[in-house]
Amino acid sequence: MSLIAPPTVVIVPGLRDHVPDHWQTILANKIADARTIPPLERDRLSCDAQVAALDEVLSDISGPVVLVAHSAGVMTTVHWAQRHRRPVKGALLAAPPDFDTPLPEGYPTLEDLRENGWTPTPRTPLPFPGIVAASTNDPLAGFERVTGLVRAWGSRLENLGPVGHLNPASGYGEWPQAEEIIRELSQTSSDRSI
């Protein structure tokens, strides 16, 4: 009987700093050997820098991987998937923002996102299974726009209902459903059938 190592969970946060009561931070503290993409000190808004940070963490992992991305971390993940090839068991893509339409005040402008390489948003199928967990009232992305991304990426939609941006400001610290989705992705084969 051969033992197969469980996948390493790699947390891909958005552009804001790590917040102790964010579900990703709580999850990283609960999962043994989870890795988290560190916040960037320089080139914070650079898509290339975010993608390079993800690739650097992944290059240190030899076994299977499940990516757990939130917000701009979802965009980091899909840009990374366009540029790099590495086996990934699957990805939880939670609350993807719509970088192709104006974001609320206090967030990067469309011009800033374009100048830093975030747009256009990749719309090609991901080379690994993805489950997109989306809110019906996310202030950073309309639900119809997200469903279009889900189709383009060849992913599965998990409709979370009205949960805002699935962050502490929306009332979400711990999010147990993330662990269920990670377990499901950890058991998938590489044939993308989830």
Side-chain angles (χ1 to χ4, degrees):
M1 178 172 122
S2 67
L3 297 176
I4 299 173
T8 299
V9 172
V10 176
I11 308 286
V12 189
L15 296 176
R16 309 242 170 172
D17 284 333
H18 296 263
V19 179
D21 55 346
H22 193 288
W23 65 266
Q24 282 185 308
T25 308
I26 294 167
L27 185 67
N29 291 329
K30 288 173 76 174
I31 297 176
D33 300 323
R35 310 274 178 91
T36 300
I37 308 306
L40 296 176
E41 299 300 321
R42 297 177 331 142
D43 298 325
R44 216 177 152 70
L45 193 54
S46 167
C47 180
D48 288 344
Q50 296 284 351
V51 168
L54 172 55
D55 196 53
E56 184 176 338
V57 168
L58 289 172
S59 69
D60 289 337
I61 302 169
S62 60
V65 171
V66 169
L67 302 173
V68 177
H70 177 258
S71 192
V74 173
M75 296 300 130
T76 299
T77 300
V78 297
H79 278 279
W80 174 85
Q82 293 236 312
R83 303 175 195 181
H84 300 280
R85 289 291 172 249
R86 183 221 194 277
V88 171
K89 294 229 14 126
L92 165 55
L93 306 168
D98 181 0
F99 279 175
D100 295 318
T101 59
L103 298 173
E105 191 169 325
Y107 289 91
T109 65
L110 289 177
E111 183 179 340
D112 288 338
L113 292 169
R114 183 180 43 74
E115 287 176 358
N116 284 281
W118 293 101
T119 60
T121 298
R123 294 180 184 276
T124 56
L126 295 173
F128 45 79
I131 297 176
V132 177
S135 170
T136 57
N137 67 342
D138 190 333
L140 300 186
F143 191 72
E144 287 184 24
R145 298 280 294 188
V146 172
T147 59
L149 292 174
V150 170
R151 283 191 300 275
W153 296 337
S155 297
R156 187 182 90 204
L157 176 65
E158 186 74 26
N159 181 340
L160 301 177
V163 297
H165 194 54
L166 194 64
N167 61 3
S170 300
Y172 282 85
E174 190 159 5
W175 180 43
Q177 190 174 359
E179 294 174 67
E180 296 169 22
I181 295 170
I182 291 167
R183 274 192 293 278
E184 179 181 348
L185 289 167
S186 296
Q187 296 169 3
T188 62
S189 63
S190 59
D191 67 2
R192 294 189 42 95
S193 58
I194 56 171

